[in-house]
Amino acid sequence: KILIGLTNYQSQHLARQGITRKVEIIPYGPDLDKFTMKEHRTRVDGYQFIHIGNHNLLKDQFTLLKTFCKISAGLPNSKLRIIGYDALNGELRKYTTQLGIDHLVEFTGSVPYNDIPHYLQEADVILHTSVFEGQATVISEAAAAGVLLAGTRVGLLYDLGDKYGIIVEPGDADGLAEKVLSTIEDPRAFLSYIT
């Protein structure tokens, strides 16, 4: 019998848990009728960052906010939109205030799935800092929409590797911020990731 996995990352975790059955990797793909490549635009007034995921410790949005705090210091007027149900009872909002970035971060709460393509069309960079993912379908949707992928080496980002996105180890807010800033400062590097 064959197990179906979403990513090689997930398959490796199964093997570490002693699962010896063959794993066939079949990732979810984006609906290309909904998630379409946008025309890249050079920003002069700041970048729009996005994070899509319910607020929970597995998604590690505290690292996300630390990362964005460092990015916003180097990219004035940049904004972060966080979409997802708040299962942490406002802790992320409190943390944005502690970091002094509450005026730069918008919390939308949950939104209808059909609205996600619109939000991705407005975004320049997706920040995804989970400590574990089976896949993270939002990564393939963001890639289909021409959004720069930046996050931790888990799920689909692990499988895609550094050629297709800016990737660091889980918890590395400093490294992720530094890589994002250096990529944005180099238009050719930025375009190489999204085209």
Side-chain angles (χ1 to χ4, degrees), residues 19 26 28 45 79 96 99 101 123 125 150 163 165 168-169 175 177-178 180 192:
I19 306 297
I26 305 176
Y28 293 127
D45 59 345
K79 305 281 187 193
T96 61
L99 293 171
I101 58 170
V125 181
K163 181 178 178 185
V168 299
E169 296 306 315
E178 183 180 314
V180 168
S192 74

Side-chain angles (χ1 to χ4, degrees), residues 142-175:
V147 177
L148 176 64
L149 310 177
T152 47
R153 197 176 305 281
V154 298
L156 188 57
L157 285 176
Y158 174 93
D159 283 21
L160 291 174
D162 298 306
K163 181 178 178 185
Y164 297 99
I166 299 167
I167 305 170
V168 299
E169 296 306 315
D172 186 3
D174 291 340

Side-chain angles (χ1 to χ4, degrees), residues 13-105:
H13 275 272
L14 290 171
R16 282 197 282 278
Q17 298 302 316
I19 306 297
T20 58
R21 289 169 53 193
K22 178 177 170 46
V23 179
E24 187 72 30
I25 304 302
I26 305 176
Y28 293 127
D31 181 342
L32 296 178
D33 289 330
K34 291 182 179 179
F35 298 93
T36 57
M37 186 68 71
K38 63 182 176 153
E39 185 176 321
H40 176 69
R41 56 207 178 274
T42 302
R43 296 281 191 174
V44 294
D45 59 345
Y47 284 76
Q48 179 64 55
F49 291 79
I50 193 167
H51 172 79
I52 303 170
N54 292 334
H55 308 188
N56 62 59
L57 298 179
L58 193 63
K59 298 292 184 191
D60 192 12
Q61 286 108 343
F62 292 99
T63 292
L64 166 84
L65 292 171
K66 282 188 256 184
T67 301
F68 182 71
C69 182
K70 293 172 185 303
I71 289 170
S72 66
L75 286 175
N77 303 317
S78 291
K79 305 281 187 193
L80 170 63
R81 176 177 286 139
I82 298 178
I83 297 172
Y85 169 75
D86 181 5
L88 294 176
N89 301 316
E91 290 301 313
L92 295 179
R93 284 181 190 268
K94 290 178 194 170
Y95 194 51
T96 61
T97 301
Q98 291 173 17
L99 293 171
I101 58 170
D102 49 311
H103 63 293
L104 301 175
V105 181

